[in-house]
């Protein structure tokens, strides 16, 4: 079974703080993704990575950065948290190999509140 | 740009009823379409994945169909149960670098006992 874990289920931070959200997958997947989920908007892609040290912007990258130093770990960084970044953050991973059926496996999510 | 729409936004049905959730997408150039389930405050669980060359997939009481030419998918739930209460999300994997998913906003389902 694929397992995607996220470092925290709930976080409360203050405006201006630097925030790290960690995601780890144990299935040697190539691709990893960070989404945020807000009521009525569904999931929106923030950043994704298709290899170690590689990253690509998604649809809403502003105010975020990412780091992928090891294949199994993908970190989302809020350089200076703002109240409009209060949201549910979901990490996912996928195999990313040609010829294979591609699906994404999701972590349990981190609910972040920025005060 | 691919857009995914789900109708209805919310649905409340009595236990035992058969129901249909709808998903539409604007660009037929997709790798696959997935239906996910999300329980409150939790992550997503994949229910069914339909490859672009397929018309439907079934798992237990769930059946998902795909009509790529019209940009539509339906999720059929037979004999609904209170345990089916959750948010159901439709997502298409687009033919773009990175195998990205584009999600609909979801349908919140409540099955009353």
């Amino acid at each position: 079974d694929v397992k995607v874990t996220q470092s925290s289920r709930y976080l409360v931070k203050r405006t201006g703080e630097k925030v790290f959200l960690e995601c780890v997958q144990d299935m040697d997947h190539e691709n990893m993704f960070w989404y945020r989920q807000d009521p009525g908007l569904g999931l929106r892609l923030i950043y994704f990575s298709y290899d170690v040290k590689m990253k690509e912007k998604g649809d809403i990258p502003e105010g975020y950065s990412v780091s992928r130093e090891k294949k199994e770990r993908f970190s989302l960084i809020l350089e200076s948290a703002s109240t409009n970044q209060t949201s549910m953050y979901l990490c996912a991973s996928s195999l990313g190999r040609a010829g294979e059926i591609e699906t994404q496996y999701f972590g349990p999510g981190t609910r972040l509140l920025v005060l | 740009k691919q857009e995914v729409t789900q109708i209805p936004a919310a649905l409340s049905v009595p236990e035992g009823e058969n129901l249909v959730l709808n998903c539409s997408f604007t660009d037929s150039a997709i790798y696959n379409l997935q239906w996910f389930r999300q329980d409150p405050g939790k992550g997503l669980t994949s229910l069914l994945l339909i490859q672009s060359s397929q018309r439907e997939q079934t798992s237990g009481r769930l059946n998902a169909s795909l009509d790529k030419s019209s940009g539509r998918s339906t999720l059929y739930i037979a004999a609904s149960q209170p345990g089916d209460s959750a948010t159901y999300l439709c997502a298409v994997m687009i033919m773009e670098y990175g195998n990205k998913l584009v999600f609909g906003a979801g349908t919140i389902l409540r099955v009353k006992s």
Side-chain angles (χ1 to χ4, degrees), chain A residues 82-96:
Chain A
S82 64
T83 54
N84 63 14
Q85 292 178 309
T86 291
S87 187
M88 173 75 138
Y89 290 88
L90 290 158
C91 174
S93 71
S94 70
L95 199 56

Side-chain angles (χ1 to χ4, degrees), chain B residues 28-59:
Chain B
S28 62
I30 63 171
Y31 278 126
N32 60 49
L33 182 143
Q34 277 186 269
W35 284 92
F36 291 89
R37 170 186 171 135
Q38 185 178 30
D39 293 293
K42 302 284 179 65
L44 277 64
T45 301
S46 180
L47 296 173
L48 290 165
L49 182 151
I50 312 175
Q51 294 285 81
S52 63
S53 57
Q54 297 175 321
R55 299 282 294 185
E56 67 176 343
Q57 282 286 336
T58 297
S59 176

Side-chain angles (χ1 to χ4, degrees), chain B residues 84-95:
Chain B
D84 295 329
S85 298
T87 297
Y88 290 82
L89 293 156
C90 167
V92 295
M93 184 166 284
I94 58 177
M95 289 184 172

Side-chain angles (χ1 to χ4, degrees), chain B residues 2-5 7 20-28 30 33 35 50 52 54-56 64-75 90 92:
Chain B
Q2 179 75 261
E3 292 182 1
V4 180
T5 304
I7 293 172
V20 174
L21 307 182
N22 296 290
C23 172
S24 61
F25 48 96
T26 54
D27 187 345
S28 62
I30 63 171
L33 182 143
W35 284 92
I50 312 175
S52 63
Q54 297 175 321
R55 299 282 294 185
E56 67 176 343
S65 68
L66 174 63
D67 184 343
K68 219 173 66 159
S69 60
S70 67
R72 294 174 193 263
S73 175
T74 60
L75 178 67
C90 167
V92 295

Side-chain angles (χ1 to χ4, degrees), chain A residues 9 37 45 50 102-103 107-108, chain B residues 32 34 38 41 43 97 100-101:
Chain A
R9 293 301 307 276
Q37 184 178 26
L45 182 64
Y50 53 92
E102 185 77 355
T103 185
Chain B
N32 60 49
Q34 277 186 269
Q38 185 178 30
Y97 181 66
K100 293 182 282 187
L101 284 174

